[in-house]
Amino acid sequence: MVLPLSILDLAHIGKGETASDSLSASVDMARRAEELGYRRIWYAEHHNMPTIASSATSVLIAHVAAHTRTIRLGAGGIMLPNHAPLTIAEQFGTLETLHPGRIDLGLGRAPGSDQQTMRALRRAPAAADDFPQDVLELQGYLTGRSRIPGVDATPGKGTDVPLYILGSSLFGARLAAALGLPYAFASHFAPDALQDAVAVYRREFKPSAQLDRPYVIAGVNVIAADTEQEAQEQFLTAKRKRVSLFLGRGRTFTPEEADAILASPAGQQILRMTTYSAVGTPAEVEDYLGRFAGHAQADELIVVSAAPGRKAWLRSIELLADAHGLTPA
């Protein structure tokens, strides 16, 4: 049986592009991924980031869903402490009503932003502490068993939109296990706790109405190209761009400056984020993903573009689909 592959689309706004360009490209990506046989595409909630266009995550999902037919679409994820659970239940209940059987709702507790943006979102600093209770409240609205007497989500009630807990630590693993929900680990940028978190999740998992056995999705960076040299060149460009993104504070570094920073302690932290990266020819990438799936005890992999350009990323998912043996829609 072929291990399912899915995609995390960061809706990147490239240099010289507009948000409109990015959203149009996300539609093109989803259509191609659907044709190739990918299981799902997720979009993440980020705010105040000039290079990411997925801030209004549910709106983007609705737009892409209207331009595709079968591929599952969802949030990877909604940062629930930024929102009232009822609001999210109504949004995703509406999506499920419009596109039955195609909507996922991944939930995280991080802010998806900086401190100033948290204040602009009216998010209380301690909001993350209520995350487990908020998940249960949201689940109640979607299943039709509201925990708030006299309050229902319309649309939403009885839609049973499947929930996923996102995380990069043992906290999310234990919560997903306790609630009997699928667990998606952000190993594509936070690799350190992967094996410990998955082990805890599988050991402590309690079956639920949504899920009778543990289900793990692991994130992994991917660049597949026609030659290994081409893939490695793209990977180096991507790492240099991360230096400007995380350390530039508005400044763009030359390739030589970026390489010097990557060799420094600060640069090593950036490189650490790319620990789990499949880079090379299609055969090399497929071999890496097989080994990584075993390492992560994953039931599904969600691949994240590490390619520096959209054309290269599209080529990458095409090469990977063929190498992995995905069945076209």
Side-chain angles (χ1 to χ4, degrees), residues 146-169:
S146 176
R147 291 172 173 259
I148 310 297
V151 178
D152 287 314
T154 306
K157 181 179 180 180
T159 55
D160 293 309
V161 176
L163 302 182
Y164 298 75
I165 299 297
L166 278 57
S168 58
S169 69

Side-chain angles (χ1 to χ4, degrees), residues 236-276:
L236 178 57
T237 299
K239 288 184 284 190
R240 287 169 174 168
K241 284 189 173 183
R242 287 194 179 210
V243 172
S244 295
L245 177 64
F246 291 109
L247 301 177
R249 297 182 181 180
R251 177 187 173 189
T252 300
F253 297 102
T254 66
E256 294 76 18
E257 289 172 333
D259 290 345
I261 293 171
L262 286 170
S264 72
Q268 292 302 304
Q269 289 287 81
I270 293 174
L271 292 176
R272 180 72 183 164
M273 296 171 67
T274 65
T275 296
Y276 295 123

Side-chain angles (χ1 to χ4, degrees), residues 25-324:
S26 286
V27 171
D28 292 340
M29 170 72 72
R31 284 173 165 169
R32 188 65 180 126
E34 182 175 77
E35 292 172 352
L36 293 168
Y38 285 86
R39 172 165 290 189
R40 69 184 96 238
I41 300 180
W42 281 356
Y43 307 93
E45 177 188 349
H46 292 285
H47 299 282
N48 194 31
M49 293 187 179
T51 60
I52 295 180
S54 54
S55 55
T57 315
S58 59
V59 180
L60 176 55
I61 293 168
H63 179 64
V64 177
H67 290 82
T68 51
R69 298 178 298 105
T70 57
I71 194 168
R72 296 193 67 88
L73 300 163
I78 290 292
M79 300 299 107
L80 192 54
N82 292 344
H83 311 274
L86 177 60
T87 299
I88 298 304
E90 291 168 342
Q91 290 177 6
F92 280 79
T94 299
L95 287 168
E96 176 64 24
T97 301
L98 292 169
H99 306 284
R102 295 182 58 200
I103 303 301
D104 300 328
L105 178 47
L107 302 168
R109 61 172 182 148
S113 59
D114 54 47
Q115 295 294 320
Q116 284 290 88
T117 308
M118 282 176 62
R119 283 193 280 273
L121 288 167
R122 303 297 190 268
R123 171 175 170 156
D129 296 341
D130 297 326
F131 181 63
Q133 292 74 31
D134 287 347
V135 172
L136 289 170
E137 183 181 336
L138 172 59
Q139 187 179 53
Y141 293 133
L142 293 172
T143 59
R145 296 186 291 275
S146 176
R147 291 172 173 259
I148 310 297
V151 178
D152 287 314
T154 306
K157 181 179 180 180
T159 55
D160 293 309
V161 176
L163 302 182
Y164 298 75
I165 299 297
L166 278 57
S168 58
S169 69
L170 301 189
F171 176 89
R174 289 199 165 98
L175 179 62
L179 299 182
L181 295 176
Y183 181 52
F185 192 90
S187 33
H188 59 290
F189 73 86
D192 291 349
L194 171 63
Q195 287 185 296
D196 288 343
V198 171
V200 165
Y201 169 70
R202 289 192 175 279
R203 183 172 65 246
E204 299 183 6
F205 180 85
K206 297 178 180 178
S208 68
Q210 178 178 327
L211 193 64
D212 62 356
R213 65 186 66 183
Y215 193 87
V216 173
I217 302 175
V220 57
N221 300 293
V222 165
I223 297 178
D226 293 292
T227 67
E228 182 180 5
Q229 180 180 351
E230 183 183 353
Q232 292 298 338
E233 288 172 352
Q234 291 180 20
F235 193 36
L236 178 57
T237 299
K239 288 184 284 190
R240 287 169 174 168
K241 284 189 173 183
R242 287 194 179 210
V243 172
S244 295
L245 177 64
F246 291 109
L247 301 177
R249 297 182 181 180
R251 177 187 173 189
T252 300
F253 297 102
T254 66
E256 294 76 18
E257 289 172 333
D259 290 345
I261 293 171
L262 286 170
S264 72
Q268 292 302 304
Q269 289 287 81
I270 293 174
L271 292 176
R272 180 72 183 164
M273 296 171 67
T274 65
T275 296
Y276 295 123
S277 297
V279 180
T281 64
E284 289 169 334
V285 168
E286 172 63 13
D287 179 67
Y288 181 96
L289 293 183
R291 289 183 282 110
F292 173 73
H295 174 78
Q297 297 185 64
D299 300 288
E300 178 179 337
L301 299 181
I302 189 159
V303 300
V304 187
S305 171
R310 194 168 286 117
K311 185 178 180 180
W313 175 223
L314 191 60
R315 179 62 175 159
S316 185
I317 69 163
E318 290 173 344
L319 292 172
L320 175 57
D322 182 61
H324 194 69

